[in-house]
Amino acid sequence: RKEVEQDPGPFNVPEGATVAFNCTYSNSASQSFFWYRQDCRKEPKLLMSVYSSGNEDGRFTAQLNRASQYISLLIRDSKLSDSATYLCASGGSYIPTFGRGTSLIVHP
Amino acid sequence: NAGVMQNPRHLVRRRGQEARLRCSPMKGHSHVYWYRQLPEEGLKFMVYLQKENIIDESGMPKERFSAEFPKEGPSILRIQQVVRGDSAAYFCASSLGQGWYEQYFGPGTRLTVT
């Protein structure tokens, strides 16, 4: 079983839609969690860290569910510019583990 | 710009040549990670270094690949006798501390082996 799993998508949504991604992790000792955004042929960029109490930054909300071992990312009022691949990562030891990413396509 | 720097951005090598990829971490960061990414695939961890030390190289092929992070200067990922299968994007990331800290990525080096 992979340590961090994501639905690869693509999620195809219209502008203005709300979309949610989940990411499951297998290492119950994981202590920290992150969401990254990666545009085509670019480097991953840190979107937000995920805290036990959840984290909100504008249109983006991240939540952690330790009991079920998953983290989620909610994007409200999707913009065309949100089209990208979203990677989740979990860190419990010194090496974070990345999922393969979920592709989001926002269309007019 | 105090971000993670990588060079070259693009590197073309013929089979059998050597490739040297450089990474300068973000200012104040002493932890460096190297990843490889193939098209349509996820990030594959290769090696984790701190200054003058290789902490974990479990993701790096045993042959032809080596990495260093000297006391002075950038971290270097070296691939000897490159083969076509080495063609990929190589990303470097740095962080303030170990895995529970956020990582910040450089722009990557795209290696093409002809």
Side-chain angles (χ1 to χ4, degrees), chain A:
Chain A
R1 180 183 172 183
K2 292 180 184 173
E3 287 195 47
V4 176
E5 294 200 58
Q6 296 183 254
D7 180 345
F11 284 61
N12 211 318
V13 304
E15 268 187 292
T18 295
V19 63
F21 312 132
N22 280 348
C23 167
T24 59
Y25 61 94
S26 59
N27 185 357
S28 58
S30 295
Q31 299 171 6
S32 56
F33 305 89
F34 311 98
W35 281 104
Y36 287 80
R37 171 197 170 124
Q38 186 173 26
D39 292 286
C40 187
R41 300 184 68 79
K42 299 279 191 181
E43 75 273 25
K45 292 193 172 163
L46 182 67
L47 185 63
M48 57 201 313
S49 303
V50 188
Y51 307 120
S52 295
S53 56
N55 193 13
E56 185 172 323
D57 183 3
R59 298 182 293 109
F60 297 82
T61 301
Q63 301 246 313
L64 166 63
N65 185 317
R66 282 199 183 274
S68 301
Q69 293 187 202
Y70 74 86
I71 62 173
S72 63
L73 178 68
L74 181 77
I75 306 175
R76 289 180 296 277
D77 189 23
S78 299
K79 313 289 185 194
L80 294 177
S81 57
D82 292 334
S83 297
T85 297
Y86 291 83
L87 309 175
C88 69
S90 73
S93 60
Y94 46 67
I95 303 170
T97 303
F98 285 84
R100 291 185 60 169
T102 297
S103 175
L104 172 65
I105 301 170
V106 181
H107 59 83

Side-chain angles (χ1 to χ4, degrees), chain A residues 31-32 34 36 38 40-46 49 51 87 90-96 98-101, chain B residues 10 33 35 37 40-43 45 48 55-56 58 91 98-108 110:
Chain A
Q31 299 171 6
S32 56
F34 311 98
Y36 287 80
Q38 186 173 26
C40 187
R41 300 184 68 79
K42 299 279 191 181
E43 75 273 25
K45 292 193 172 163
L46 182 67
S49 303
Y51 307 120
L87 309 175
S90 73
S93 60
Y94 46 67
I95 303 170
F98 285 84
R100 291 185 60 169
Chain B
H10 300 274
Y33 302 77
Y35 296 87
Q37 188 175 41
E40 309 302 323
E41 292 194 11
L43 289 166
F45 165 77
Y48 164 45
I55 307 302
D56 189 309
S58 60
F91 291 102
Q98 293 183 341
W100 47 84
Y101 285 84
E102 295 93 342
Q103 293 192 341
Y104 295 88
F105 284 81
R110 298 196 178 276

Side-chain angles (χ1 to χ4, degrees), chain B residues 6-26:
Chain B
Q6 285 188 254
N7 67 81
R9 297 288 299 275
H10 300 274
L11 183 61
V12 179
R13 284 287 178 264
R14 291 200 181 102
R15 278 179 298 172
Q17 290 185 319
E18 178 180 290
R20 279 187 179 233
L21 288 61
R22 295 175 188 78
C23 168
S24 295
M26 192 175 280

Side-chain angles (χ1 to χ4, degrees), chain B residues 19-65:
Chain B
R20 279 187 179 233
L21 288 61
R22 295 175 188 78
C23 168
S24 295
M26 192 175 280
K27 190 175 181 181
H29 288 188
S30 60
H31 298 252
V32 167
Y33 302 77
W34 285 94
Y35 296 87
R36 180 161 80 173
Q37 188 175 41
L38 293 167
E40 309 302 323
E41 292 194 11
L43 289 166
K44 298 276 196 231
F45 165 77
M46 297 182 74
V47 61
Y48 164 45
L49 310 102
Q50 294 180 29
K51 283 283 186 183
E52 300 184 275
N53 285 305
I54 296 174
I55 307 302
D56 189 309
E57 56 183 346
S58 60
M60 204 146 70
K62 300 257 185 291
E63 297 177 355
R64 302 189 298 108
F65 286 72

